[in-house]
Coordinates of all heavy atoms in Angstrom, one line a residue:
M1 N -9.1 37.4 0.5 CA -7.8 37.2 -0.1 C -8.1 36.9 -1.6 O -7.3 37.3 -2.5 CB -7.1 35.9 0.5 CG -5.7 35.8 0.1 SD -4.6 34.7 1.1 CE -5.6 33.5 1.8
R2 N -9.1 36.2 -1.9 CA -9.5 35.9 -3.3 C -9.7 37.2 -4.1 O -9.3 37.3 -5.3 CB -10.7 35.0 -3.4 CG -10.5 33.6 -3.0 CD -11.6 32.6 -3.3 NE -13.0 33.3 -3.3 CZ -13.8 33.3 -2.2 NH1 -13.4 32.8 -1.1 NH2 -14.9 33.8 -2.3
K3 N -10.4 38.2 -3.5 CA -10.6 39.4 -4.2 C -9.3 40.2 -4.4 O -9.1 40.8 -5.4 CB -11.6 40.3 -3.3 CG -13.0 39.7 -3.3 CD -13.9 40.5 -2.5 CE -15.3 39.8 -2.6 NZ -16.4 40.5 -1.9
D4 N -8.4 40.1 -3.4 CA -7.1 40.7 -3.6 C -6.3 40.0 -4.8 O -5.7 40.7 -5.6 CB -6.2 40.6 -2.4 CG -6.7 41.6 -1.3 OD1 -7.3 42.6 -1.6 OD2 -6.3 41.4 -0.1
D5 N -6.4 38.7 -4.8 CA -5.8 38.0 -5.9 C -6.4 38.5 -7.3 O -5.6 38.7 -8.2 CB -6.0 36.5 -5.8 CG -5.2 35.9 -4.7 OD1 -4.3 36.5 -4.2 OD2 -5.5 34.7 -4.3
D6 N -7.7 38.6 -7.4 CA -8.3 39.1 -8.6 C -7.8 40.5 -9.0 O -7.4 40.7 -10.1 CB -9.9 39.2 -8.4 CG -10.5 37.8 -8.5 OD1 -9.8 36.8 -8.9 OD2 -11.7 37.7 -8.3
T7 N -7.8 41.4 -8.0 CA -7.3 42.7 -8.2 C -5.9 42.7 -8.7 O -5.5 43.4 -9.7 CB -7.5 43.6 -7.0 OG1 -8.9 43.6 -6.6 CG2 -7.0 45.0 -7.2
D8 N -5.0 42.0 -8.0 CA -3.6 41.9 -8.4 C -3.4 41.3 -9.8 O -2.5 41.8 -10.6 CB -2.8 41.1 -7.3 CG -2.7 41.8 -6.0 OD1 -3.0 43.1 -5.9 OD2 -2.3 41.2 -5.0
A9 N -4.1 40.2 -10.0 CA -4.0 39.6 -11.4 C -4.4 40.5 -12.5 O -3.7 40.7 -13.5 CB -4.8 38.3 -11.4
A10 N -5.5 41.3 -12.3 CA -5.9 42.2 -13.2 C -4.9 43.3 -13.5 O -4.6 43.8 -14.6 CB -7.3 42.8 -12.9
E11 N -4.3 43.8 -12.4 CA -3.4 44.8 -12.5 C -2.1 44.4 -13.2 O -1.6 45.1 -14.1 CB -3.0 45.3 -11.0 CG -2.0 46.4 -11.0 CD -1.6 46.9 -9.5 OE1 -2.6 46.8 -8.7 OE2 -0.5 47.1 -9.3
M12 N -1.7 43.2 -13.0 CA -0.5 42.6 -13.7 C -0.8 42.5 -15.2 O 0.0 42.8 -16.0 CB -0.1 41.3 -13.1 CG 0.6 41.3 -11.8 SD 1.2 39.8 -11.2 CE -0.3 39.1 -10.4
L13 N -2.0 42.1 -15.5 CA -2.4 41.9 -16.9 C -2.5 43.3 -17.6 O -2.0 43.4 -18.8 CB -3.7 41.2 -17.1 CG -3.6 39.7 -16.7 CD1 -5.1 39.1 -16.6 CD2 -2.8 38.9 -17.7
Y14 N -3.0 44.3 -17.0 CA -3.1 45.6 -17.6 C -1.6 46.1 -17.8 O -1.3 46.7 -18.8 CB -3.8 46.6 -16.7 CG -5.3 46.5 -16.9 CD1 -6.2 46.3 -15.8 CD2 -5.9 46.7 -18.1 CE1 -7.5 46.2 -16.0 CE2 -7.3 46.7 -18.3 CZ -8.1 46.4 -17.2 OH -9.5 46.4 -17.4
T15 N -0.8 45.9 -16.8 CA 0.6 46.4 -16.8 C 1.3 45.7 -18.0 O 2.2 46.3 -18.7 CB 1.4 46.1 -15.5 OG1 0.6 46.9 -14.5 CG2 2.8 46.6 -15.6
A16 N 1.0 44.4 -18.3 CA 1.6 43.7 -19.4 C 1.0 44.1 -20.7 O 1.5 43.6 -21.8 CB 1.4 42.2 -19.1
G17 N 0.0 45.0 -20.7 CA -0.5 45.4 -22.0 C -1.9 44.9 -22.4 O -2.4 45.2 -23.5
F18 N -2.4 44.0 -21.6 CA -3.8 43.5 -21.9 C -4.8 44.6 -21.7 O -4.7 45.5 -20.9 CB -4.1 42.3 -21.1 CG -3.3 41.1 -21.4 CD1 -2.0 40.9 -20.9 CD2 -3.8 40.1 -22.3 CE1 -1.2 39.8 -21.2 CE2 -3.0 39.0 -22.6 CZ -1.7 38.8 -22.1
V19 N -5.9 44.5 -22.4 CA -7.0 45.4 -22.3 C -8.3 44.7 -22.1 O -8.4 43.5 -22.3 CB -7.2 46.3 -23.6 CG1 -6.0 47.2 -23.7 CG2 -7.3 45.5 -24.8
D20 N -9.3 45.3 -21.6 CA -10.6 44.7 -21.3 C -10.5 43.5 -20.4 O -11.1 42.5 -20.7 CB -11.4 44.4 -22.6 CG -11.7 45.6 -23.4 OD1 -11.9 46.7 -22.9 OD2 -11.6 45.5 -24.7
V21 N -9.7 43.6 -19.4 CA -9.5 42.5 -18.4 C -10.7 42.4 -17.5 O -11.1 43.5 -16.9 CB -8.2 42.6 -17.6 CG1 -8.1 41.6 -16.6 CG2 -7.0 42.7 -18.6
E22 N -11.4 41.3 -17.4 CA -12.5 41.1 -16.5 C -12.1 39.9 -15.5 O -11.7 38.8 -15.9 CB -13.7 40.7 -17.3 CG -14.2 41.8 -18.1 CD -15.5 41.4 -18.8 OE1 -16.2 40.6 -18.3 OE2 -15.8 42.0 -20.0
T23 N -12.3 40.2 -14.3 CA -12.0 39.1 -13.3 C -13.4 38.5 -12.8 O -14.4 39.1 -13.1 CB -11.3 39.7 -12.0 OG1 -12.2 40.7 -11.4 CG2 -10.0 40.4 -12.4
F24 N -13.2 37.4 -12.2 CA -14.4 36.7 -11.7 C -14.0 35.9 -10.4 O -12.9 35.6 -10.3 CB -15.1 35.8 -12.7 CG -14.3 34.6 -13.0 CD1 -14.5 33.4 -12.4 CD2 -13.3 34.7 -14.0 CE1 -13.7 32.3 -12.7 CE2 -12.5 33.5 -14.3 CZ -12.8 32.4 -13.7
D25 N -15.0 35.6 -9.6 CA -14.8 34.9 -8.3 C -15.8 33.7 -8.4 O -16.9 34.0 -8.2 CB -14.9 35.8 -7.1 CG -14.7 35.0 -5.9 OD1 -14.3 33.8 -5.9 OD2 -14.7 35.6 -4.8
D26 N -15.3 32.5 -8.6 CA -16.2 31.3 -8.6 C -16.4 30.7 -7.2 O -16.9 29.7 -7.0 CB -15.7 30.3 -9.5 CG -14.4 29.7 -9.2 OD1 -13.8 30.1 -8.2 OD2 -13.9 28.8 -9.9
E27 N -15.8 31.4 -6.2 CA -16.0 31.1 -4.8 C -15.5 29.7 -4.5 O -16.1 28.9 -3.8 CB -17.4 31.3 -4.3 CG -17.9 32.7 -4.3 CD -19.2 33.0 -3.7 OE1 -19.7 32.1 -2.9 OE2 -19.7 34.0 -3.9
S28 N -14.4 29.3 -5.1 CA -13.8 28.0 -4.8 C -12.8 28.2 -3.7 O -12.0 29.1 -3.7 CB -13.0 27.5 -6.1 OG -12.4 26.3 -5.8
Y29 N -13.0 27.3 -2.7 CA -12.2 27.4 -1.4 C -11.1 26.4 -1.4 O -11.2 25.3 -2.0 CB -13.1 27.3 -0.2 CG -14.1 28.4 -0.2 CD1 -15.5 28.2 -0.7 CD2 -13.9 29.6 0.4 CE1 -16.4 29.2 -0.7 CE2 -14.8 30.6 0.4 CZ -16.1 30.4 -0.1 OH -17.0 31.4 -0.1
P30 N -10.0 26.7 -0.6 CA -8.9 25.7 -0.5 C -9.5 24.3 -0.2 O -10.3 24.2 0.7 CB -8.0 26.3 0.5 CG -8.3 27.8 0.5 CD -9.8 27.9 0.1
G31 N -8.9 23.3 -0.8 CA -9.3 21.9 -0.5 C -10.4 21.4 -1.4 O -10.6 20.2 -1.4
L32 N -11.0 22.2 -2.2 CA -12.2 21.7 -3.0 C -11.6 21.2 -4.4 O -12.3 20.4 -5.0 CB -13.2 22.9 -3.3 CG -13.9 23.3 -2.1 CD1 -14.9 24.4 -2.5 CD2 -14.7 22.1 -1.4
G33 N -10.5 21.7 -4.8 CA -10.1 21.3 -6.1 C -8.8 20.5 -6.2 O -8.1 20.5 -7.2
I34 N -8.5 19.9 -5.1 CA -7.2 19.2 -5.0 C -7.5 17.8 -4.5 O -8.6 17.4 -4.0 CB -6.2 19.8 -4.0 CG1 -6.7 19.8 -2.6 CG2 -5.8 21.2 -4.5 CD1 -5.8 20.3 -1.5
H35 N -6.5 16.9 -4.6 CA -6.6 15.6 -4.2 C -5.5 15.4 -3.1 O -4.3 15.2 -3.4 CB -6.4 14.5 -5.3 CG -7.3 14.8 -6.5 ND1 -8.6 14.4 -6.4 CD2 -7.1 15.4 -7.6 CE1 -9.2 14.7 -7.5 NE2 -8.3 15.4 -8.3
E36 N -5.9 15.5 -1.9 CA -4.9 15.4 -0.8 C -4.4 14.0 -0.7 O -5.2 13.0 -0.7 CB -5.5 15.9 0.5 CG -5.9 17.3 0.4 CD -6.6 17.9 1.7 OE1 -6.8 17.1 2.6 OE2 -6.8 19.1 1.7
M37 N -3.1 13.8 -0.5 CA -2.5 12.5 -0.5 C -1.5 12.5 0.7 O -1.0 13.5 1.1 CB -1.9 12.1 -1.8 CG -3.0 12.0 -2.9 SD -2.1 11.5 -4.4 CE -3.5 11.4 -5.5
G38 N -1.0 11.3 1.0 CA 0.0 11.1 1.9 C -0.5 10.7 3.3 O -1.6 10.4 3.5
T39 N 0.4 10.7 4.3 CA 0.2 10.4 5.7 C 0.2 8.9 6.1 O 0.3 8.6 7.2 CB -1.1 11.0 6.3 OG1 -2.2 10.4 5.8 CG2 -1.1 12.5 6.0
A40 N 0.0 8.0 5.1 CA 0.0 6.5 5.4 C 0.8 5.9 4.3 O 0.3 5.1 3.6 CB -1.4 6.0 5.5
R41 N 2.1 6.1 4.3 CA 2.9 5.6 3.3 C 2.9 4.1 3.1 O 2.9 3.4 4.1 CB 4.4 6.1 3.5 CG 5.4 5.6 2.6 CD 6.8 6.0 3.1 NE 7.0 7.4 3.1 CZ 7.6 8.1 2.2 NH1 8.2 7.5 1.1 NH2 7.8 9.4 2.3
M42 N 2.9 3.6 1.9 CA 3.0 2.2 1.6 C 4.5 1.9 1.4 O 5.3 2.7 0.9 CB 2.3 1.9 0.3 CG 2.3 0.4 -0.1 SD 1.8 0.1 -1.7 CE 0.2 0.7 -1.8
G43 N 4.9 0.8 2.0 CA 6.3 0.3 1.8 C 6.6 -1.1 2.2 O 5.7 -1.8 2.4
R44 N 7.8 -1.4 2.3 CA 8.3 -2.8 2.6 C 8.7 -3.0 4.0 O 9.0 -4.1 4.4 CB 9.4 -3.2 1.6 CG 8.9 -3.2 0.2 CD 10.0 -3.6 -0.7 NE 9.6 -3.6 -2.0 CZ 10.4 -3.7 -3.1 NH1 11.6 -3.8 -3.0 NH2 9.8 -3.7 -4.3
N45 N 8.7 -2.0 4.8 CA 9.3 -2.1 6.1 C 8.3 -1.4 7.1 O 8.1 -0.2 6.9 CB 10.7 -1.5 6.2 CG 11.4 -1.6 7.5 OD1 10.8 -1.7 8.5 ND2 12.7 -1.5 7.5
P46 N 7.9 -2.1 8.1 CA 7.0 -1.3 9.1 C 7.6 -0.2 9.9 O 6.9 0.6 10.4 CB 6.5 -2.5 10.1 CG 7.4 -3.6 9.8 CD 8.1 -3.4 8.5
K47 N 8.9 -0.1 9.9 CA 9.6 0.9 10.5 C 9.6 2.2 9.7 O 9.7 3.3 10.3 CB 11.1 0.6 10.8 CG 11.2 -0.5 11.9 CD 12.6 -0.9 12.2 CE 12.7 -2.0 13.2 NZ 14.1 -2.3 13.5
T48 N 9.5 2.1 8.4 CA 9.5 3.3 7.5 C 8.1 3.5 6.8 O 8.1 4.4 6.0 CB 10.6 3.1 6.5 OG1 10.4 2.0 5.8 CG2 12.0 3.1 7.2
S49 N 7.2 2.7 7.0 CA 5.9 2.8 6.3 C 4.7 2.4 7.3 O 4.9 1.7 8.3 CB 5.9 2.0 5.1 OG 6.0 0.6 5.4
V50 N 3.5 2.8 6.8 CA 2.3 2.5 7.7 C 1.6 1.3 7.0 O 1.1 0.5 7.7 CB 1.3 3.7 7.7 CG1 0.0 3.4 8.3 CG2 2.0 4.9 8.3
L51 N 1.7 1.1 5.7 CA 1.0 0.1 5.0 C 2.0 -0.9 4.2 O 3.1 -0.5 3.8 CB 0.1 0.7 3.9 CG -0.8 1.8 4.4 CD1 -1.5 2.4 3.1 CD2 -1.8 1.2 5.3
N52 N 1.6 -2.1 4.2 CA 2.4 -3.0 3.4 C 2.0 -3.0 1.9 O 1.2 -2.1 1.5 CB 2.2 -4.5 3.9 CG 0.9 -5.1 3.7 OD1 0.0 -4.5 3.0 ND2 0.6 -6.2 4.5
Q53 N 2.5 -3.9 1.1 CA 2.2 -3.9 -0.3 C 0.8 -4.1 -0.7 O 0.4 -3.9 -1.9 CB 3.1 -4.8 -1.1 CG 2.8 -6.3 -0.9 CD 3.5 -6.9 0.2 OE1 3.9 -6.2 1.2 NE2 3.7 -8.2 0.1
W54 N -0.1 -4.6 0.2 CA -1.5 -4.8 0.0 C -2.4 -3.7 0.5 O -3.6 -3.9 0.7 CB -1.9 -6.1 0.6 CG -1.1 -7.3 0.0 CD1 -0.1 -7.9 0.7 CD2 -1.1 -7.8 -1.3 NE1 0.5 -8.9 -0.1 CE2 -0.1 -8.8 -1.3 CE3 -1.9 -7.5 -2.4 CZ2 0.1 -9.6 -2.4 CZ3 -1.6 -8.3 -3.5 CH2 -0.7 -9.3 -3.6
N55 N -1.8 -2.5 0.9 CA -2.5 -1.4 1.6 C -3.0 -1.8 2.9 O -4.0 -1.3 3.4 CB -3.6 -0.9 0.7 CG -3.1 -0.1 -0.5 OD1 -2.6 -0.8 -1.4 ND2 -3.1 1.2 -0.5
Q56 N -2.4 -2.8 3.6 CA -2.8 -3.3 4.9 C -1.9 -2.6 5.9 O -0.7 -2.6 5.8 CB -2.5 -4.8 4.8 CG -3.0 -5.6 6.0 CD -2.7 -7.1 5.9 OE1 -1.8 -7.5 5.1 NE2 -3.4 -7.9 6.6
V57 N -2.6 -2.2 7.0 CA -1.9 -1.5 8.1 C -1.0 -2.5 8.8 O -1.5 -3.6 9.2 CB -2.9 -0.8 9.0 CG1 -2.1 -0.2 10.2 CG2 -3.7 0.2 8.3
W58 N 0.3 -2.2 8.9 CA 1.3 -3.1 9.5 C 0.8 -3.5 10.9 O 0.8 -4.7 11.3 CB 2.7 -2.5 9.6 CG 3.4 -2.4 8.3 CD1 3.6 -1.2 7.7 CD2 4.0 -3.4 7.6 NE1 4.4 -1.4 6.6 CE2 4.6 -2.8 6.5 CE3 4.1 -4.8 7.7 CZ2 5.3 -3.5 5.5 CZ3 4.8 -5.5 6.8 CH2 5.4 -4.9 5.7
D59 N 0.3 -2.5 11.7 CA 0.0 -2.7 13.1 C -1.5 -3.2 13.4 O -1.8 -3.5 14.5 CB 0.3 -1.5 14.0 CG 1.8 -1.2 13.9 OD1 2.6 -2.1 13.9 OD2 2.2 -0.1 14.1
A60 N -2.2 -3.2 12.3 CA -3.6 -3.7 12.4 C -4.0 -4.5 11.2 O -4.6 -3.8 10.2 CB -4.6 -2.4 12.7
P61 N -3.7 -5.7 11.1 CA -3.9 -6.5 9.9 C -5.3 -6.5 9.3 O -5.4 -6.8 8.1 CB -3.3 -7.9 10.2 CG -2.6 -7.7 11.5 CD -3.1 -6.5 12.2
N62 N -6.3 -6.2 10.1 CA -7.6 -6.2 9.5 C -8.1 -4.9 9.1 O -9.2 -4.7 8.7 CB -8.6 -6.7 10.6 CG -8.7 -5.8 11.8 OD1 -7.7 -5.1 12.2 ND2 -9.8 -5.7 12.5
V63 N -7.1 -3.9 8.9 CA -7.4 -2.6 8.4 C -6.7 -2.4 7.1 O -5.4 -2.6 7.0 CB -7.0 -1.5 9.4 CG1 -7.2 -0.1 8.8 CG2 -7.8 -1.7 10.7
F64 N -7.4 -1.9 6.0 CA -6.8 -1.7 4.7 C -7.1 -0.2 4.4 O -8.3 0.3 4.6 CB -7.4 -2.6 3.7 CG -7.0 -4.0 3.8 CD1 -7.6 -4.8 4.8 CD2 -5.9 -4.5 3.1 CE1 -7.2 -6.2 4.9 CE2 -5.5 -5.9 3.2 CZ -6.2 -6.7 4.1
V65 N -6.2 0.5 3.9 CA -6.3 1.9 3.5 C -6.2 2.0 2.0 O -5.0 1.8 1.5 CB -5.3 2.8 4.3 CG1 -5.4 4.3 3.9 CG2 -5.4 2.6 5.8
T66 N -7.3 2.3 1.4 CA -7.1 2.4 -0.1 C -7.5 3.7 -0.7 O -7.9 3.8 -1.9 CB -8.1 1.3 -0.7 OG1 -9.4 1.6 -0.3 CG2 -7.7 -0.1 -0.2
D67 N -7.3 4.8 0.0 CA -7.5 6.1 -0.6 C -6.1 6.7 -0.9 O -5.2 6.0 -1.0 CB -8.3 7.0 0.4 CG -7.5 7.3 1.7 OD1 -6.5 6.7 1.9 OD2 -8.1 8.0 2.5
G68 N -6.0 7.9 -1.0 CA -4.8 8.6 -1.5 C -3.7 8.6 -0.3 O -2.6 9.1 -0.5
A69 N -4.1 8.2 0.9 CA -3.1 8.2 2.0 C -1.9 7.4 1.7 O -0.7 7.7 2.2 CB -3.8 7.7 3.3
C70 N -2.0 6.4 0.9 CA -0.8 5.5 0.6 C 0.1 6.2 -0.4 O 1.3 5.7 -0.5 CB -1.2 4.1 0.1 SG -2.0 4.1 -1.5
M71 N -0.3 7.2 -1.1 CA 0.6 7.8 -2.1 C 1.3 8.9 -1.5 O 0.8 9.8 -0.8 CB -0.3 8.3 -3.2 CG -1.1 7.3 -3.9 SD -2.2 8.0 -5.2 CE -3.2 6.6 -5.6
T72 N 2.6 9.0 -1.8 CA 3.5 10.0 -1.2 C 3.6 11.3 -2.0 O 4.0 12.3 -1.4 CB 4.9 9.4 -1.1 OG1 5.4 9.1 -2.4 CG2 5.0 8.3 -0.1
S73 N 3.0 11.2 -3.2 CA 3.0 12.4 -4.0 C 1.8 12.3 -5.0 O 1.3 11.3 -5.2 CB 4.3 12.7 -4.7 OG 4.5 11.7 -5.7
A74 N 1.5 13.5 -5.6 CA 0.4 13.5 -6.5 C 0.8 14.2 -7.8 O 1.6 15.1 -7.8 CB -0.8 14.2 -5.9
G75 N 0.2 13.7 -8.9 CA 0.4 14.4 -10.2 C -0.8 15.3 -10.4 O -1.5 15.6 -9.5
C76 N -1.0 15.8 -11.6 CA -2.1 16.7 -11.9 C -3.3 15.9 -12.3 O -4.4 16.4 -12.5 CB -1.7 17.7 -12.9 SG -1.3 17.0 -14.5
Q77 N -3.2 14.6 -12.6 CA -4.3 13.8 -13.0 C -5.2 13.4 -11.9 O -4.7 13.3 -10.7 CB -3.8 12.5 -13.7 CG -2.8 12.6 -14.9 CD -1.4 12.9 -14.4 OE1 -1.0 12.9 -13.3 NE2 -0.6 13.3 -15.5
N78 N -6.4 13.1 -12.2 CA -7.4 12.7 -11.1 C -7.0 11.3 -10.8 O -6.9 10.4 -11.6 CB -8.8 12.8 -11.7 CG -9.9 12.5 -10.7 OD1 -9.7 11.6 -9.9 ND2 -11.0 13.1 -10.8
P79 N -6.9 11.0 -9.5 CA -6.4 9.7 -9.0 C -7.6 8.7 -8.7 O -7.3 7.6 -8.2 CB -5.7 10.1 -7.7 CG -6.5 11.2 -7.1 CD -6.8 12.0 -8.4
S80 N -8.8 9.0 -9.1 CA -9.9 8.2 -8.7 C -9.8 6.8 -9.2 O -10.1 5.8 -8.5 CB -11.2 8.8 -9.2 OG -11.4 10.0 -8.5
L81 N -9.3 6.6 -10.5 CA -9.2 5.2 -11.0 C -8.1 4.5 -10.3 O -8.2 3.2 -10.1 CB -8.9 5.3 -12.5 CG -10.1 5.7 -13.4 CD1 -9.6 5.8 -14.8 CD2 -11.2 4.8 -13.3
T82 N -7.1 5.2 -9.9 CA -6.0 4.5 -9.0 C -6.6 4.0 -7.7 O -6.3 2.9 -7.2 CB -4.8 5.4 -8.9 OG1 -4.3 5.8 -10.2 CG2 -3.7 4.8 -8.1
Y83 N -7.4 4.9 -7.1 CA -8.0 4.5 -5.8 C -8.9 3.2 -6.0 O -8.8 2.3 -5.2 CB -8.9 5.6 -5.2 CG -8.2 6.9 -4.9 CD1 -9.0 8.0 -4.8 CD2 -6.9 6.9 -4.7 CE1 -8.4 9.2 -4.5 CE2 -6.3 8.1 -4.3 CZ -7.1 9.3 -4.2 OH -6.5 10.5 -3.8
M84 N -9.6 3.2 -7.1 CA -10.5 2.0 -7.4 C -9.6 0.8 -7.6 O -10.0 -0.3 -7.1 CB -11.3 2.3 -8.6 CG -12.4 3.4 -8.4 SD -13.2 4.0 -9.8 CE -13.9 2.6 -10.6
A85 N -8.5 0.9 -8.3 CA -7.7 -0.2 -8.5 C -7.0 -0.7 -7.2 O -6.9 -1.9 -7.0 CB -6.6 0.1 -9.6
L86 N -6.5 0.2 -6.4 CA -6.0 -0.1 -5.1 C -7.0 -0.8 -4.3 O -6.7 -1.9 -3.6 CB -5.5 1.1 -4.4 CG -4.2 1.7 -5.0 CD1 -3.9 3.1 -4.3 CD2 -3.0 0.8 -4.8
T87 N -8.2 -0.4 -4.3 CA -9.3 -0.9 -3.5 C -9.6 -2.4 -4.0 O -9.8 -3.3 -3.1 CB -10.6 -0.1 -3.5 OG1 -10.2 1.2 -3.0 CG2 -11.7 -0.7 -2.7
A88 N -9.7 -2.5 -5.3 CA -10.1 -3.9 -5.8 C -8.9 -4.8 -5.5 O -9.2 -6.0 -5.1 CB -10.2 -3.8 -7.3
R89 N -7.7 -4.4 -5.6 CA -6.5 -5.3 -5.3 C -6.5 -5.6 -3.8 O -6.3 -6.8 -3.5 CB -5.3 -4.5 -5.7 CG -4.0 -5.3 -5.5 CD -2.9 -4.5 -6.1 NE -1.6 -5.0 -5.8 CZ -0.9 -4.7 -4.8 NH1 -1.3 -3.8 -3.9 NH2 0.3 -5.3 -4.6
A90 N -6.7 -4.7 -3.0 CA -6.7 -4.9 -1.5 C -7.9 -5.8 -1.1 O -7.7 -6.7 -0.3 CB -6.7 -3.6 -0.7
A91 N -9.0 -5.6 -1.7 CA -10.2 -6.4 -1.3 C -10.0 -7.9 -1.8 O -10.4 -8.8 -1.1 CB -11.4 -5.8 -2.0
D92 N -9.4 -8.1 -3.0 CA -9.1 -9.4 -3.4 C -8.1 -10.1 -2.5 O -8.3 -11.3 -2.2 CB -8.5 -9.4 -4.9 CG -8.2 -10.7 -5.4 OD1 -9.2 -11.5 -5.6 OD2 -7.1 -11.0 -5.7
Y93 N -7.1 -9.4 -2.1 CA -6.2 -9.9 -1.1 C -6.8 -10.3 0.2 O -6.6 -11.3 0.8 CB -5.0 -8.9 -0.9 CG -4.0 -9.4 0.2 CD1 -3.1 -10.4 -0.1 CD2 -4.0 -8.9 1.4 CE1 -2.2 -10.9 0.8 CE2 -3.1 -9.3 2.4 CZ -2.2 -10.3 2.1 OH -1.3 -10.7 3.0
A94 N -7.7 -9.3 0.8 CA -8.3 -9.5 2.0 C -9.2 -10.8 2.0 O -9.3 -11.6 2.9 CB -9.1 -8.3 2.3
V95 N -10.0 -10.9 0.9 CA -10.8 -12.1 0.7 C -10.0 -13.4 0.7 O -10.4 -14.3 1.4 CB -11.8 -12.0 -0.5 CG1 -12.4 -13.3 -0.8 CG2 -12.7 -10.8 -0.4
S96 N -9.0 -13.3 0.0 CA -8.0 -14.5 -0.1 C -7.5 -14.9 1.3 O -7.5 -16.0 1.8 CB -6.9 -14.2 -1.0 OG -6.0 -15.2 -1.0
E97 N -7.1 -13.9 2.1 CA -6.6 -14.1 3.4 C -7.7 -14.5 4.4 O -7.5 -15.3 5.3 CB -5.9 -12.8 3.9 CG -4.6 -12.5 3.2 CD -3.6 -13.6 3.4 OE1 -3.1 -13.9 4.5 OE2 -3.2 -14.3 2.4
M98 N -8.9 -14.0 4.2 CA -10.0 -14.4 5.1 C -10.3 -15.9 4.8 O -10.6 -16.7 5.8 CB -11.2 -13.6 4.9 CG -11.1 -12.2 5.4 SD -12.5 -11.1 5.1 CE -13.8 -11.9 6.0
K99 N -10.3 -16.3 3.6 CA -10.6 -17.7 3.3 C -9.5 -18.6 3.9 O -9.8 -19.8 4.2 CB -10.6 -17.9 1.8 CG -11.9 -17.3 1.1 CD -11.9 -17.6 -0.4 CE -13.2 -17.0 -1.0 NZ -13.1 -17.1 -2.5
K100 N -8.3 -18.1 4.0 CA -7.2 -18.9 4.6 C -7.3 -18.9 6.2 O -6.4 -19.4 6.8 CB -5.9 -18.4 4.1 CG -5.6 -18.6 2.7 CD -4.3 -18.0 2.3 CE -4.1 -17.9 0.8 NZ -2.9 -17.2 0.4
M101 N -8.2 -18.0 6.7 CA -8.4 -17.7 8.1 C -7.2 -17.0 8.7 O -6.8 -17.1 9.9 CB -8.6 -19.0 8.9 CG -9.8 -19.9 8.4 SD -11.3 -19.0 8.7 CE -11.6 -19.3 10.4
N102 N -6.6 -16.1 7.8 CA -5.5 -15.3 8.3 C -5.9 -13.9 8.8 O -5.1 -13.2 9.4 CB -4.4 -15.1 7.1 CG -3.7 -16.4 6.8 OD1 -3.6 -17.3 7.7 ND2 -3.2 -16.5 5.7
L103 N -7.2 -13.6 8.5 CA -7.7 -12.3 9.0 C -8.9 -12.6 9.9 O -9.6 -13.5 9.6 CB -8.1 -11.5 7.8 CG -7.0 -10.8 7.0 CD1 -7.6 -10.0 5.9 CD2 -6.2 -9.9 7.9

């Protein structure tokens, strides 16, 4: 399919008037260049979300999800710093709750 994409793209460029079009295949496969997100929505209600405001699973209080699963959508920016911030925040909360013997 990638080779067909290359051929079709080159054909469109030639048709548009471009010359000396060269295609290339960097062998990038689906899933390698994206940041998959979703599936464990953060929210205020356990009926409509999987995680509370601390990234804590409503039905399993000793489980925290701090990757992109809590995000319902993604921009074009790399979300790694956001993941790190969510993790630091959740860890701080978890430590606080453990000290209070709530976890």
Side-chain angles (χ1 to χ4, degrees):
M1 192 165 26
R2 290 189 327 268
K3 289 180 183 185
D4 285 341
D5 288 345
D6 283 350
T7 303
D8 291 346
E11 184 179 321
M12 286 185 271
L13 290 170
Y14 278 122
T15 301
F18 289 85
V19 295
D20 298 325
V21 174
E22 294 182 28
T23 64
F24 68 94
D25 183 358
D26 64 359
E27 297 188 18
S28 178
Y29 298 94
L32 294 180
I34 63 171
H35 304 283
E36 295 178 356
M37 297 182 178
T39 71
R41 177 186 296 260
M42 183 192 301
R44 297 183 179 164
N45 184 335
K47 292 182 181 180
T48 59
S49 60
V50 176
L51 308 173
N52 68 14
Q53 72 269 28
W54 304 107
N55 290 74
Q56 184 179 27
V57 176
W58 289 108
D59 295 330
N62 64 330
V63 176
F64 292 81
V65 178
T66 61
D67 63 357
C70 69
M71 299 178 188
T72 57
S73 64
C76 61
Q77 300 82 6
N78 186 321
S80 296
L81 291 175
T82 303
Y83 298 160
M84 291 167 57
L86 289 170
T87 301
R89 184 175 171 269
D92 183 61
Y93 176 77
V95 168
S96 172
E97 290 299 294
M98 288 177 66
K99 287 180 180 177
K100 296 176 192 173
M101 302 298 281
N102 291 336
L103 284 179

